[in-house]
Amino acid sequence: MDFTLTKKEEAFRDELRSWLSVNLPEGWLEGKRTLPESKEAYSRFLRDWQRKLYEGGWAAISWPEAYGGRNATLMEEIIYHQEMVRVKSPPLVNYVGIHMVAPTLMQMGTDQQKEAYIENILTGNHVWSQGYSEPNAGSDLTAIETAAVKKDGRWIINGQKVWTSFAHLADRCFLLARTGQSGKKHEGITVFLLDMNQEGVETRPITQMDGREEFNEVYLTDAIAHDEDIVGEEGKGWSVLIALMLHERSGIAAEVFTLEQQFEEVAEMARTLTSDGKPIIEDPFIEDGLADLYARISGARLNYYRNITHTLKNGKPGPESSLDKLLVSELGKELFDFAMTIQGHAGVLAGGDAPFDGAMQHQYLASFGATIGGGTSEVQRNTIGERILGLPKDLGR
Amino acid sequence: MDFTLTKKEEAFRDELRSWLSVNLPEGWLEGKRTLPESKEAYSRFLRDWQRKLYEGGWAAISWPEAYGGRNATLMEEIIYHQEMVRVKSPPLVNYVGIHMVAPTLMQMGTDQQKEAYIENILTGNHVWSQGYSEPNAGSDLTAIETAAVKKDGRWIINGQKVWTSFAHLADRCFLLARTGQSGKKHEGITVFLLDMNQEGVETRPITQMDGREEFNEVYLTDAIAHDEDIVGEEGKGWSVLIALMLHERSGIAAEVFTLEQQFEEVAEMARTLTSDGKPIIEDPFIEDGLADLYARISGARLNYYRNITHTLKNGKPGPESSLDKLLVSELGKELFDFAMTIQGHAGVLAGGDAPFDGAMQHQYLASFGATIGGGTSEVQRNTIGERILGLPKDLGR
Amino acid sequence: MDFSLNEEQELFRSAVRKYLKDLGGTGTARATIRGDDEPARAAASGLAEMGINAIPVPEQQDGLGLGALDLVPVFEETGRVLLPGLQLETLALAVPLITNYGTEEQKKRWLPLAASGESAFSVAWYETGRSLFPETFACTATRIDNRYELSGVKTLVPVTGSPDLFIVGAEAPGGTSLFLVEASEAASVRPLSCLDETQLPAELSFRNAHAELLGEPGKGQDMLREALLHFNTALVSGMVGGMDELVKITAEYAKIRVQFNQPIGRFQAIKHRIVDMKLDLETARSLSHYAAWAVETGADDRIAAVHSARSFASRAYIKAAGDSIQIHGGIGFTEELDCHLYLKRARYWDHYFGSVRDSRKAAAGSLGWHARQTADAAPVS
Amino acid sequence: MDFSLNEEQELFRSAVRKYLKDLGGTGTARATIRGDDEPARAAASGLAEMGINAIPVPEQQDGLGLGALDLVPVFEETGRVLLPGLQLETLALAVPLITNYGTEEQKKRWLPLAASGESAFSVAWYETGRSLFPETFACTATRIDNRYELSGVKTLVPVTGSPDLFIVGAEAPGGTSLFLVEASEAASVRPLSCLDETQLPAELSFRNAHAELLGEPGKGQDMLREALLHFNTALVSGMVGGMDELVKITAEYAKIRVQFNQPIGRFQAIKHRIVDMKLDLETARSLSHYAAWAVETGADDRIAAVHSARSFASRAYIKAAGDSIQIHGGIGFTEELDCHLYLKRARYWDHYFGSVRDSRKAAAGSLGWHARQTADAAPVS
């Protein structure tokens, strides 16, 4: 058992830290972290940041050097996430491109696709979105209805996607569409590399319950793609998805470290807020609840470390990694429920009128999305039950 | 809204109270409530009590007067349960006979059956057991395998029953057996009135995790019944079961009142036990937990009152009554978990070495049976979801 | 035994429910969120015309002189549609305070205005940095001849629905006391951003505001505690109304939403969770109805009854709203569905004039658990 | 980064596991319940021969001088089969106490006996009516020339496995102190009935028993608190072992038990509950392994690490055992299955030298949450 970093890992961390201290947007480290409001300014801000990462060689550290990456080790990747969480770095607008599309194309893309996309992803010239979910296909992606029909040598695509992140800023979409109806439901699905800048693609933001608009609905009306936009084989999109998931070796590092950081912020609040002149942590119920959360959040982080150890030793993630998502998202909900409760009636205030500028209120509301997006907790539990414990498959699976 | 008793109801209660004060076993009201250990003495004790109830006219109050009952109103029935719980009366050895078999026979028994059984049930001459569950048919009674085959004019019965209460004391069994294999699983089940005093019936006690032996396994090896022992029609036993359930109008009155009484005992413990000279209720966590249980147990009791009100107004129980069993059994588990916890390490003591003579320890262990027996909590939730909320039927139902 | 609302109360419920539904259900609340107070104002007038404001006001002051049980259906239905307004503060807090502790003159002046719906009242009690029942307030009232002048800052004062009168807690000779202060006397009203955007809490400042003493000086906390029995009873009705609607919409959704070729209500993870919402709803309803009965009849266990209902329903409402979001999945996380409105309201009410812990403590105290007994056993802990 | 036990530790686990399995798994515990101590005694000897007793004992006293991590697999495996005995008290409480605070002579006398397994030790600390850390004990030790005489009554002292030595807490000049008292010095040993029948707690009385001071006078509580870090780490390993077995047997049962024509593990109510058991198990295991590492390396957060593991695992074990009963249904409620044995053990351990609340308090204190900060905001509560 060993939790120390190697000299090489330390050097990596220090290099990243010093790069960040110079290159983060001005005032960022000191807490001036507001993003521009207008779509254009917001988009420019994020693209600038993406570009800066590229220029510094920090955009795609786990890619092979041949493609402009650093061929980073898993530990370096984890350190990277840890540091980015530590400085609360701006969101990575091209997350989908860098972590999903490019690695997939490297493995199974045509030479033409590699040529056309990989460098543009790295530089941030092309921002990608992910077109998976649909109104009737949330937990069950095999139920997608968006259809691509071949006509005069072109694929004509119609349907509706939903929960498409960054779609309003994206140039391209990694799109699932149905090209066949035969056999099992996961057959006949094809992955297209869709150009978003065309008439048949319309994007509308979804307003979330926390007031933000991070996701979009995408309406496809006779949108067009070509044979060379297909990833892998026509009708075999499901295996592309599976290959893509297997690339994921660092799991939910960012979420784990974010939860840890959020806990520290809640603890800080419990130590600094006062009621009748006494820090609220002096309330034994608050002390007790915070210690309980400390234990469970530490446990989630340590589970993650155990899983990473497994990946380091075996070269690929073990099935246990699916526990992390469930635990971390559920704990986030509990943490902010607690954070709301301990503020008393003042907890109903928001924004600048609330303690900590309303950060707790905002994160409380946001926490409800984490147990839904990326696979609901119910689906996670099924997966764990079936894949790890070997329990019988559920209804409809 | 009115929680007062009518004059007639008060008179009923007072009559019962004064009868109990004279007729309960000696020392019972003062707390000398130990039952004999040996099977014979135990059986005699319970049969004596059953007999006494009969002689006092208190054995079957809800039966019509024609059969020797009092034609009691629902409220009187509830008062009866409340008083019996209050004095912690000895168990009713012929519960199955009085509350299940006789009402069913009154409705659908043959004249011969009525003649043969009803009075014997009332007097306690015949003690009845209930032969429903089997090793492979617990939550799912349609899966019973005990088979009755007709041969030479007699029914030859083979199989195994389990969780048969009082079987070791019983003279007769209200037995479910399969007489046909056709069609749906609940078809082809027949109810037999089986004589337990025959060679083909062997009874073995089940030792529970709380050390008690309240239930039995019953092995049937060429046990014999006759056509006249069938209740209702051959193969239509399922509808007999349903009719029987509809007789149940007072719900789980005894359990509701028992839970209330148990709460009072736990509260009493929290007020009287001391640690370092201070009553443990002064610990804010104990005060808080007890108040939480008070609220929820009060809520369960009040739910029951609302359901009873519904029954009183509509003449028959509403579907909401199925909530009571779930809530009361789950709350019992929580109550005694709490009772264990607040005793600190002394809570691991048992019997005479433990606070309150180990009553909490014993009831804690027993509480685990209540969420299993009589329909598991999982089955109750399905029932509530499907019957009350109209949610789709489960797998395999 | 009859544990049910009477026929009149149920008929009145139907009328209120239909009226609010016709107004567009939660549409009224959504208008307030958009900054359009008009629908809520209209609803308040309409409800007043139906007589809801007259319910708790004594007959001498043009009211109906009815009890807590008659308010149950009203607040269940306003809670169901998350109606913004000061009905709760006016009818279940200010009216009981003025009725129980006001002078004849005060009653005559204010209660008829409440009964008719002409005036809404609010309560300015909280101060920043102080608990619900602090040792002292920073806000003070000074006696000058026969009148009081009140100065200080109050926070989290509900001002949606334009109150004409504030009942204000302040330090005075004799201790914490209650005062009637007309809205025009406030030196400033600064609206505060609120998680529940149907609410409009504000920071109020007073500078030598004209204030009339309500009740005895130094008895401010006692009077409030007593009035909070009415308030909490009504509040819990509002929670029950919200939970009832949540169970309804969630169960309906689970019947029609299909995933993995099944209506999701067929999956036990969904089905049983909705059942648990239903169990909580029914328990909250039973506790709530009993609390109203106990308050109305002055039952011995009324404190425990009210606070049990409050402590249970507070958490159950938050849980039900959160679970409804989860069961709705992605769409439940959008602004478009109502789930989050209930969640925000549940949070707004969670600590409104008391917390779960406060209620449990109050219940325990009232039940005499702390009265010392002879120790007849002694454990190791 | 390497968060795993090393190969040697895993090999040792396999050996211990195989040995205990060959002895009949929980059969040894069931023999003790029947009153037959022989199998537990034989297991204790066998384990000592395998070297488990030598692990925590310094090399100077014939031990291996290994750390807390090496005990992890041992206590996970003894916990898995609910092995009765004094391994926990001897190796994880008495040995650290004597090692850290004993004189050279005391170490020389007792530690080799522990290392070889010839002697088992127990701790006589609890008194009836007193908390774990009371202001004073009723049991007193009087100094007479160079020796102490100890008198008083101790309760809940584990005596299964025939301890030769008790470490006793008593009031002495200077305050609560620890003493070594040989078993033969006890005036009486009264066995107490126990919920967990694999345990044999007793009431011990001493009358002028010959007692040797351990460590400094007046430091009894401090020394115990420090040693309890070792104890709790080992205890939590025992809990993890039990939970691991519970998850295994429950998942297996859910695969083969058929109701409504389905293996019950297909129902989400069952499946998801077992998944939650598994989540708790893995969290407890992670916390437990980290706690052992923190104790072994003297990490800054070792107090928080140990007490987080303890507070989490204590409740999780009780819950897992209870859920295993429920999932097994009727048969789970019988004496025949092992589920209830785990439940009873989980309860026995729940408050053994500390409660969940105690551990949370200890963690909070050690993390400095109570060190005052400048208040930079002030809420209403």
Side-chain angles (χ1 to χ4, degrees), chain A residues 83-375:
Chain A
E83 292 301 313
M84 289 299 182
V85 166
R86 192 181 56 84
V87 300
K88 301 187 177 183
S89 76
L92 200 61
V93 66
N94 208 12
Y95 185 93
V96 171
I98 287 170
H99 290 282
M100 304 171 71
V101 181
T104 306
L105 295 181
M106 288 176 204
Q107 187 191 340
M108 52 175 65
T110 61
D111 288 345
Q112 190 195 352
Q113 288 170 342
K114 289 179 191 171
E115 180 70 27
Y117 297 120
I118 293 181
E119 194 179 344
N120 278 318
I121 286 172
L122 183 68
T123 60
N125 279 349
H126 287 176
V127 169
W128 283 77
S129 65
Q130 183 194 51
Y132 283 14
S133 293
E134 299 182 4
N136 292 317
S139 291
D140 178 12
L141 278 185
T142 64
I144 59 160
E145 291 161 2
T146 292
V149 177
K150 195 138 179 202
K151 208 176 159 184
D152 306 333
R154 302 189 310 178
W155 291 93
I156 313 296
I157 308 178
N158 283 282
Q160 185 190 346
K161 292 290 170 182
V162 75
W163 302 111
T164 317
S165 59
F166 292 120
H168 55 305
L169 309 179
D171 310 291
R172 294 283 187 287
C173 182
F174 193 81
L175 185 89
L176 296 190
R178 189 163 284 291
T179 51
Q181 297 290 352
S182 67
K184 293 187 183 163
K185 281 176 72 188
H186 64 266
E187 289 170 10
I189 290 174
T190 301
V191 174
F192 289 94
L193 303 170
L194 186 77
D195 189 344
M196 299 281 282
N197 297 313
Q198 58 170 301
E199 211 178 321
V201 178
E202 192 199 344
T203 295
R204 288 186 212 156
I206 298 171
T207 308
Q208 298 164 201
M209 59 177 264
D210 59 356
R212 293 211 284 193
E213 294 182 349
E214 297 167 318
F215 297 94
N216 301 269
E217 294 176 304
V218 175
Y219 293 85
L220 302 160
T221 315
D222 293 339
I224 289 164
H226 303 88
D227 277 344
E228 57 264 37
D229 298 330
I230 289 175
V231 183
E233 284 177 53
E234 181 197 323
K236 302 283 184 206
W238 202 252
S239 60
V240 176
L241 288 197
I242 287 168
L244 195 153
M245 272 190 299
L246 292 180
H247 283 293
E248 192 43 87
R249 56 174 190 170
S250 68
I252 56 162
E255 287 83 351
V256 171
F257 297 127
T258 300
L259 178 64
E260 196 184 3
Q261 191 176 59
Q262 288 169 330
F263 174 84
E264 289 304 331
E265 285 164 19
V266 172
E268 178 70 10
M269 181 173 75
R271 295 167 68 191
T272 52
L273 284 189
T274 63
S275 178
D276 295 339
K278 248 173 44 181
I280 59 174
I281 186 77
E282 302 303 325
D283 177 338
F285 288 90
I286 293 179
E287 179 201 59
D288 197 71
L290 196 64
D292 179 27
L293 285 161
Y294 175 83
R296 291 189 291 145
I297 290 172
S298 299
R301 180 174 46 80
L302 293 165
N303 279 339
Y304 176 72
Y305 288 165
R306 276 208 296 134
N307 295 338
I308 285 300
T309 299
H310 181 273
T311 309
L312 285 165
K313 290 196 175 172
N314 297 273
K316 56 177 191 198
E320 271 72 19
S321 62
S322 49
L323 278 74
D324 295 331
K325 196 277 182 181
L326 178 55
L327 274 178
V328 168
S329 59
E330 291 289 343
L331 280 168
K333 260 161 95 163
E334 281 196 64
L335 175 64
F336 288 109
D337 176 80
F338 177 78
M340 290 296 290
T341 301
I342 65 176
Q343 293 175 69
H345 194 43
V348 305
L349 293 173
D353 292 319
F356 285 65
D357 278 340
M360 301 298 163
Q361 284 70 18
H362 180 78
Q363 291 177 99
Y364 172 65
L365 296 179
S367 74
F368 287 87
T371 58
I372 297 170

Side-chain angles (χ1 to χ4, degrees), chain A residues 271 274 303 306 386 394, chain D residues 268 271 282 286 370 373 379:
Chain A
R271 295 167 68 191
T274 63
N303 279 339
R306 276 208 296 134
E386 293 163 21
D394 206 337
Chain D
Q268 291 187 342
K271 181 187 290 181
E282 295 306 329
S286 295
H370 294 280
Q373 307 263 313

Side-chain angles (χ1 to χ4, degrees), chain C residues 244-274:
Chain C
D244 194 87
E245 190 65 15
L246 281 167
V247 171
K248 217 181 78 188
I249 62 179
T250 309
E252 285 314 312
Y253 186 73
K255 289 175 200 171
I256 56 161
R257 170 72 173 172
V258 171
Q259 289 284 276
F260 304 106
N261 288 325
Q262 315 287 334
I264 60 170
R266 205 171 174 219
F267 295 104
Q268 290 187 343
I270 304 293
K271 181 187 288 181
H272 290 193
R273 197 186 282 220
I274 303 176

Side-chain angles (χ1 to χ4, degrees), chain B residues 1-2 271 274-275 282 287-288 294 302-303 306 309 313 343 346 381-382 386 389-390 392-394, chain C residues 1-4 255 266 268 271-272 275-276 282-283 286 308 357 360 369-370 373 379-381:
Chain B
M1 209 167 281
D2 184 7
R271 294 168 68 192
T274 64
S275 178
E282 302 302 326
E287 178 201 60
D288 197 71
Y294 175 83
L302 293 166
N303 279 339
R306 278 206 295 134
T309 298
K313 290 198 174 169
Q343 292 175 71
R381 284 200 171 85
N382 270 356
E386 293 163 22
L389 296 168
K393 281 222 188 302
D394 206 339
Chain C
M1 152 95 63
D2 177 10
F3 187 23
S4 61
K255 289 175 200 171
R266 205 171 174 219
Q268 290 187 343
K271 181 187 288 181
H272 290 193
V275 166
D276 285 344
E282 295 306 329
T283 302
S286 295
S308 291
R357 173 72 193 126
R360 298 220 183 112
W369 291 344
H370 293 281
Q373 308 262 313
V380 167
S381 87

Side-chain angles (χ1 to χ4, degrees), chain B residues 1-4 9 75 263 267-268 271-275 277-282 284 287-292 294-296 298-300 302-303 305-306 308-309 312-313 320 323 326-327 342-347 355-356 377-378 381-382 384-386 388-397, chain C residues 1-6 9 69 247 250-252 254-255 263-266 268 270-276 278-279 281-287 289-290 292-293 301 304-305 307-309 311-312 356-357 359-361 363-365 367-381:
Chain B
M1 209 167 281
D2 184 7
F3 294 96
T4 54
E9 288 160 358
M75 268 314 290
F263 174 82
E268 178 71 9
R271 294 168 68 192
T272 51
L273 283 190
T274 64
S275 178
K278 248 172 48 178
I280 59 174
I281 187 78
E282 302 302 326
E287 178 201 60
D288 197 71
L290 196 64
D292 179 27
Y294 175 83
R296 291 188 291 145
S298 298
L302 293 166
N303 279 339
Y305 288 166
R306 278 206 295 134
I308 286 299
T309 298
L312 284 165
K313 290 198 174 169
E320 272 73 18
L323 276 75
L326 178 55
L327 273 179
I342 66 176
Q343 292 175 71
H345 194 44
F356 285 63
S377 291
E378 290 75 22
R381 284 200 171 85
N382 270 356
I384 295 166
E386 293 163 22
I388 299 182
L389 296 168
L391 293 168
K393 281 222 188 302
D394 206 339
L395 265 179
R397 279 159 73 107
Chain C
M1 152 95 63
D2 177 10
F3 187 23
S4 61
L5 297 179
N6 65 32
Q9 288 155 349
L69 277 165
V247 171
T250 309
E252 285 314 312
K255 289 175 200 171
I264 60 170
R266 205 171 174 219
Q268 290 187 343
I270 304 293
K271 181 187 288 181
H272 290 193
R273 197 186 282 220
I274 303 176
V275 166
D276 285 344
K278 171 77 173 169
L279 293 178
L281 164 64
E282 295 306 329
T283 302
R285 199 197 309 272
S286 295
L287 287 166
H289 288 193
Y290 182 74
W293 179 84
D301 62 349
H307 285 289
S308 291
S311 65
F312 181 83
V356 169
R357 173 72 193 126
S359 280
R360 298 220 183 112
K361 223 189 292 187
L367 291 166
W369 291 344
H370 293 281
R372 283 235 177 187
Q373 308 262 313
T374 314
D376 64 354
V380 167
S381 87

Side-chain angles (χ1 to χ4, degrees), chain A residues 1-4 9 75 263 267-268 271-275 277-282 284 287-292 294-296 298-300 302-303 305-306 308-309 312-313 320 323 326-327 342-347 355-356 378 381-382 384-386 388-396, chain D residues 1-6 69 247 250-252 254-255 263-266 268 270-276 278-279 281-287 289-290 293 301 304-305 307-309 311-312 356-357 359-361 363-365 367-381:
Chain A
M1 210 167 279
D2 184 6
F3 294 97
T4 54
E9 288 160 0
M75 268 313 291
F263 174 84
E268 178 70 10
R271 295 167 68 191
T272 52
L273 284 189
T274 63
S275 178
K278 248 173 44 181
I280 59 174
I281 186 77
E282 302 303 325
E287 179 201 59
D288 197 71
L290 196 64
D292 179 27
Y294 175 83
R296 291 189 291 145
S298 299
L302 293 165
N303 279 339
Y305 288 165
R306 276 208 296 134
I308 285 300
T309 299
L312 285 165
K313 290 196 175 172
E320 271 72 19
L323 278 74
L326 178 55
L327 274 178
I342 65 176
Q343 293 175 69
H345 194 43
F356 285 65
E378 290 74 22
R381 284 200 171 85
N382 270 356
I384 295 166
E386 293 163 21
I388 299 181
L389 296 168
L391 293 168
K393 282 222 187 299
D394 206 337
L395 263 180
Chain D
M1 153 95 63
D2 177 10
F3 186 22
S4 62
L5 298 178
N6 65 33
L69 277 165
V247 170
T250 308
E252 284 313 311
K255 290 175 200 171
I264 61 169
R266 206 172 174 217
Q268 291 187 342
I270 304 295
K271 181 187 290 181
H272 290 192
R273 197 186 282 218
I274 302 176
V275 167
D276 286 343
K278 171 76 173 170
L279 293 178
L281 165 63
E282 295 306 329
T283 301
R285 198 196 310 270
S286 295
L287 287 166
H289 288 192
Y290 182 74
W293 179 84
D301 63 348
H307 285 288
S308 291
S311 65
F312 181 82
V356 170
R357 172 72 191 127
S359 279
R360 297 218 183 114
K361 223 189 291 187
L367 290 166
W369 291 344
H370 294 280
R372 282 233 177 190
Q373 307 263 313
T374 316
D376 65 355
V380 168
S381 90

